[in-house]
Amino acid sequence: MIAIVAALRAELSSVLEAARESGEVTRHVVAGRSFLEGRFAGHDVLLALSGVGKVAAAATAAVLAERADAVVMVGTAGGIGPGVRTGDVVVADALLQHDVDPRPLFPRWQVEGTVRFLPDPGLTGALCEAARQVVEKHKVSPPAAFLELGIEAPRAHTGLVASGDQFIATREDSDRLRTDLPDLLAVEMEGAALAQVCATAGIPFALARTISDRADDHAHLDFPRFLDLVAAPYAHDLVLGLLARLNQRRHA
């Protein structure tokens, strides 16, 4: 059983639609967290909306950790690293909480003895392959909507993703993160909290984020349109590509 998680309904809308088309889905509510159980691309799946922020993500992950064999998060993020642009995909090879600072008791960013939570290598590798396929598809034949949104040659990246309970949307905040974390590629509000819960529970996890803006004063203004035209289709293709690769490995 693989859990697919996103913070916003629009981020998961194409995956939800595809799961419903694949067969019956059953809705469950546990401790106030709602998710759908069904079958998609040859896998039993749980589809969950975490809501925005680290507490919401952690609560959702705690429920899923008792039911899923692995957890994968998709959605959007702001680009921080050099060359990370709108329409790119960042797959995390490490996650940390940039707003945690327990000094002088413990090192900066440390949570439960860990600073950087490391995703499962197998899931991450499959997700990286799926990300490369997704961006190549849109690079070769970009939809008109992509060009209107300024997306011409999307790329896939792998690296550090940071989470915090604040929306990073000013150059000052972005520059601060670049200074503190020179290898940081993207910033969002949920992934590292989900990673913490999964790591504690011993559940494999992975994360991929579509870049919606540069997390500065020129952040993308038409976010709902970006969600519908870019983020949702990307999430669908990323999940489908991931599950297809897991099927290949299972039958190899």
Side-chain angles (χ1 to χ4, degrees):
M1 181 76 75
I2 298 178
I4 309 297
V5 186
L8 303 174
R9 180 172 295 277
E11 293 172 330
L12 205 58
S13 60
S14 293
V15 179
L16 288 168
E17 182 179 350
R20 289 190 174 102
E21 291 175 353
S22 297
E24 183 179 356
V25 295
T26 305
R27 182 172 180 266
H28 303 274
V29 178
V30 179
R33 316 312 295 178
S34 177
F35 56 91
L36 295 176
E37 181 177 353
R39 191 162 178 83
F40 181 48
H43 283 267
D44 294 325
V45 295
L46 296 172
L47 306 177
L49 298 173
S50 69
V52 174
K54 294 193 300 178
V55 171
T60 302
V63 171
L64 294 174
E66 293 190 351
R67 292 160 176 79
D69 301 306
V71 178
V72 176
M73 190 165 207
V74 294
T76 56
I80 295 291
V84 179
R85 307 184 187 283
T86 299
D88 289 1
V89 177
V90 172
V91 177
D93 67 5
L95 298 104
L96 65 73
Q97 298 181 42
H98 67 79
D99 58 351
V100 168
D101 192 351
R103 297 176 296 184
L105 298 178
F106 303 103
R108 188 178 184 185
W109 305 310
Q110 181 173 296
V111 180
E112 294 186 338
T114 301
V115 172
R116 299 191 179 204
F117 292 93
L118 304 181
D120 178 76
L123 284 176
T124 299
L127 204 51
C128 286
E129 293 174 9
R132 287 192 290 269
Q133 184 177 30
V134 167
V135 297
E136 285 300 320
K137 167 185 171 183
H138 292 97
K139 188 184 300 182
V140 171
S141 181
F146 275 45
L147 300 179
E148 293 172 13
L149 292 168
I151 303 170
E152 297 182 1
R155 299 170 56 198
H157 311 264
T158 305
L160 176 64
V161 175
S163 309
D165 280 322
Q166 62 182 125
F167 186 77
I168 303 298
T170 69
R171 182 172 297 279
E172 179 182 5
D173 287 339
S174 295
D175 288 346
R176 173 181 54 80
L177 286 173
R178 292 187 190 99
T179 299
D180 291 345
L181 298 162
D183 60 335
L184 180 62
L185 294 187
V187 62
E188 36 88 296
M189 300 179 67
E190 298 85 21
L194 178 141
Q196 178 184 344
V197 173
C198 288
T200 301
I203 303 296
F205 67 92
L207 177 142
R209 294 285 199 173
T210 300
I211 301 303
S212 59
D213 55 73
R214 280 290 296 172
D216 57 21
D217 301 293
H218 301 288
H220 200 286
L221 296 179
D222 196 352
F223 188 58
R225 189 161 183 257
F226 181 87
L227 286 175
D228 290 339
L229 299 179
V230 183
Y234 266 32
H236 171 275
D237 291 351
L238 285 167
V239 171
L240 190 63
L242 168 69
L243 296 180
R245 284 162 176 79
L246 294 181
N247 277 334
Q248 291 171 2
R249 294 177 183 182
R250 185 170 60 188
H251 296 112

